[in-house]
Amino acid sequence: MRAAQGQNSPVVHLPAGRLRGATEGGVAAFRRVPYAAPPTGGLRWRPAQPYAGWSGVRDATTDGPSAPQSYTEGGDPVLGGHGSPPFDDDCLTLNVWTPSADDAGRPVLVWIHGGGFVSGSGSLPNYSGEAFARNGDLVVVSVNYRIGPLGYLYFGADGTDGADSADGASGGDSRAGDEGAAEPGNFWLTDQIAALRWVHDHIAHFGGDPDRITVAGQSGGAVSTAALAGHPEAQGLFRRAILQSPPLGLHIPTPAEYLPRTAAYLRLAGVRDVDGLRALPWPRLIEAAQGLFGQTRRWGYWPTPFLPVRDGVTLRRHPARTLLHDAAADIDVMIGWTREEATFGFALDEGYAAATRGQVLERIAETFPDRADEVYGTYEEVRAGARPVDVLMGLISDELFRAPCVELAEARAELGRPVWAYQFDFPTPALQGRLAATHCLELPFVFGDFARWSHAPFLSGIDPAVRTGLGHAMHQAWIAFVRTGDPNHPDLPGWERYAAPARTTMRFDAVTAADGDPAGVARRLHHRASR
């Protein structure tokens, strides 16, 4: 059944029950829609389970709680915060925005938030789908899923710590094989699969076309998007993917590598096994997670206390490779990065600002054992007057983001599969310009609604005319890609697919232009390192 369209309170009839939403900014919004059973009690650290439904009319006018995470009043100096109360482990809900809950069969955009696997929410005002729905005639869905210890712990076959010591609990960066175990993990991914299946099965009730779904995500959410593309249960559930700043250079551990980290977390929580964790309130779980940051941190590496695990069941290969295999190879892909990704996590840290050449050379030598001086010199040449911290920022940005993104684009192009590449070049003047074109900075431009990002310090001082023009270029490119699989639109310079030898990449800046191979230095350096 289609919706009963009231002026301000549209009602949608679903198999699980009726939903009453609200009209916001000229579009219908339905919030806190359950797509899986609450993962509480005995369902903690279990794959997502079906939701039983409800009786009567369910109010869908207010956001559901975000997944439990650490929270600091006043936020942070870059984003101004990436998650805010209320939090609860009963969090498996999604939000839907639609121009009208009719039978128009509009293209669908599903948004998966990032946050280093430990923060963020599909309920954040920043990620409202209202502008996309209104400006692009799209149906937009944002998803809440389990993060941090509730989503990313792995327990092995017996549900215990799997190790006698935490000596291996480190943020290692070496690559490993794809061996796995029979016991599933990646509860976050089971949530996202359940949400994607729910969208495919129900989005027609909201005016969407289940055969024209695009999944998009940023940072950790882009890793999720890639992982979904390769999941057997997601085959055929979406046809396009947008990967914004995916940290595809992360090492994704095997079960044997991950279990010592789980052991360290159990000790921090003061319990012996998963049953002990299930007895704890979620605030205690988040408190223990903070301790794991300290135990896994390494100088010159992005801190990632929780990671996906290649369990051989839900995740069979590194997400960087999923879009090259089987049905996932046929998905249309747009992929991009910001020019100075790493400044987000390091540039405002006085310890890193004071880094010496010797410290940075030691860090470079971990990736380039025989060429540290040569690589340091290359980064100095790329940026005139570079300080040691600038060289380090270039290395981390390339190693974690730009080089593996380009490697994926190169591989898809060699297979003759469609891929479009972009680089976000616009430097923010905020915070004395120390962030430049940092990680996450493209997000408000993509979502096209700066009023919802007014709390974010990294937008301070941007010329309103530049903000409007660049926001229009990016917002419309995303809409075009969701609608057609091609990001070109009349107000954008011609954007060709990525392919050798041109390697066309759209550079989004105050003046946006297509360029040939702007990531060439990273591509050549890190290709040699990976051989």
Side-chain angles (χ1 to χ4, degrees), residues 196-468:
L196 189 57
R197 188 182 300 113
W198 187 97
V199 171
H200 187 271
D201 292 346
H202 298 91
I203 207 64
H205 295 277
F206 298 86
D209 183 348
D211 295 322
R212 287 198 292 168
I213 294 175
T214 298
V215 177
Q218 186 265 350
S219 193
V223 172
S224 293
T225 301
L228 285 168
H231 197 291
E233 293 182 32
Q235 302 303 299
L237 294 184
F238 66 106
R239 62 190 293 186
R240 299 186 180 111
I242 302 175
L243 281 66
Q244 299 176 215
S245 299
L248 297 178
L250 283 173
H251 170 60
I252 305 300
T254 62
E257 292 170 319
Y258 202 82
L259 284 171
R261 188 174 298 215
T262 302
Y265 178 82
L266 287 166
R267 279 192 292 280
L268 287 164
V271 299
R272 294 186 56 84
D273 54 26
V274 65
D275 289 332
L277 289 178
R278 289 191 178 110
L280 296 179
W282 66 257
R284 179 71 188 95
L285 302 176
I286 300 305
E287 180 184 345
Q290 293 304 106
L292 199 59
F293 267 96
Q295 295 199 19
T296 58
R297 194 182 302 273
R298 293 177 63 194
W299 194 90
Y301 291 90
W302 204 291
T304 51
F306 299 96
L307 287 164
V309 59
R310 277 181 286 171
D311 60 359
V313 181
T314 60
L315 192 60
R316 292 177 169 84
R317 55 171 60 95
H318 194 293
R321 309 299 297 172
T322 57
L323 287 156
L324 305 175
H325 297 273
D326 306 321
D330 293 325
I331 292 174
D332 297 329
V333 173
M334 184 164 71
I335 187 169
W337 53 90
T338 72
R339 191 176 61 200
E340 285 93 11
E341 295 274 9
T343 58
F344 181 93
F346 301 91
L348 302 184
D349 185 319
E350 295 304 325
Y352 281 100
T356 66
R357 178 186 176 95
Q359 285 178 300
V360 175
L361 280 169
E362 288 183 11
R363 170 63 178 84
I364 292 173
E366 295 182 29
T367 302
F368 301 90
D370 304 318
R371 297 191 293 132
D373 284 302
E374 174 195 341
V375 171
Y376 192 104
T378 298
Y379 280 110
E380 279 188 313
E381 292 173 11
V382 169
R383 184 169 178 173
R387 302 166 297 158
V389 67
D390 300 322
V391 173
L392 180 63
M393 294 302 94
L395 174 77
I396 297 172
S397 297
D398 285 352
E399 186 176 88
L400 192 56
F401 299 96
R402 183 162 29 227
C405 285
V406 171
E407 182 180 348
L408 174 57
E410 292 269 318
R412 280 187 63 90
E414 289 175 6
L415 291 173
R417 304 299 187 179
V419 58
W420 311 81
Y422 72 88
Q423 178 170 295
F424 184 83
D425 277 6
F426 179 72
T428 176
L431 302 164
Q432 299 81 49
R434 293 164 69 182
L435 296 172
T438 193
H439 190 64
C440 294
L441 185 59
E442 90 286 4
L443 285 167
F445 296 88
V446 166
F447 274 83
D449 192 346
F450 288 94
R452 297 183 187 274
W453 290 82
S454 60
H455 64 286
F458 71 176
L459 291 181
S460 177
I462 295 177
D463 184 318
V466 172
R467 187 183 70 184
T468 299

Side-chain angles (χ1 to χ4, degrees), residues 42 139 152 242 305 327 345 352 384 392 406 453 468 479 492 517 526-527:
V139 179
Y152 287 86
I242 302 175
Y352 281 100
L392 180 63
V406 171
W453 290 82
T468 299
I479 287 171
L492 193 70
D517 201 18
H526 290 269
H527 176 70

Side-chain angles (χ1 to χ4, degrees), residues 132 152 161 190:
F132 271 123
Y152 287 86
D161 58 19
T190 72

Side-chain angles (χ1 to χ4, degrees), residues 466-477:
V466 172
R467 187 183 70 184
T468 299
L470 181 53
H472 174 77
M474 298 192 75
H475 186 60
Q476 291 298 325

Side-chain angles (χ1 to χ4, degrees), residues 495-520:
W495 187 354
E496 300 295 328
R497 290 182 182 182
Y498 186 96
R503 298 184 169 89
T504 301
T505 304
M506 187 59 68
R507 299 181 72 160
F508 287 103
D509 202 339
V511 177
T512 292
D515 196 2
D517 201 18

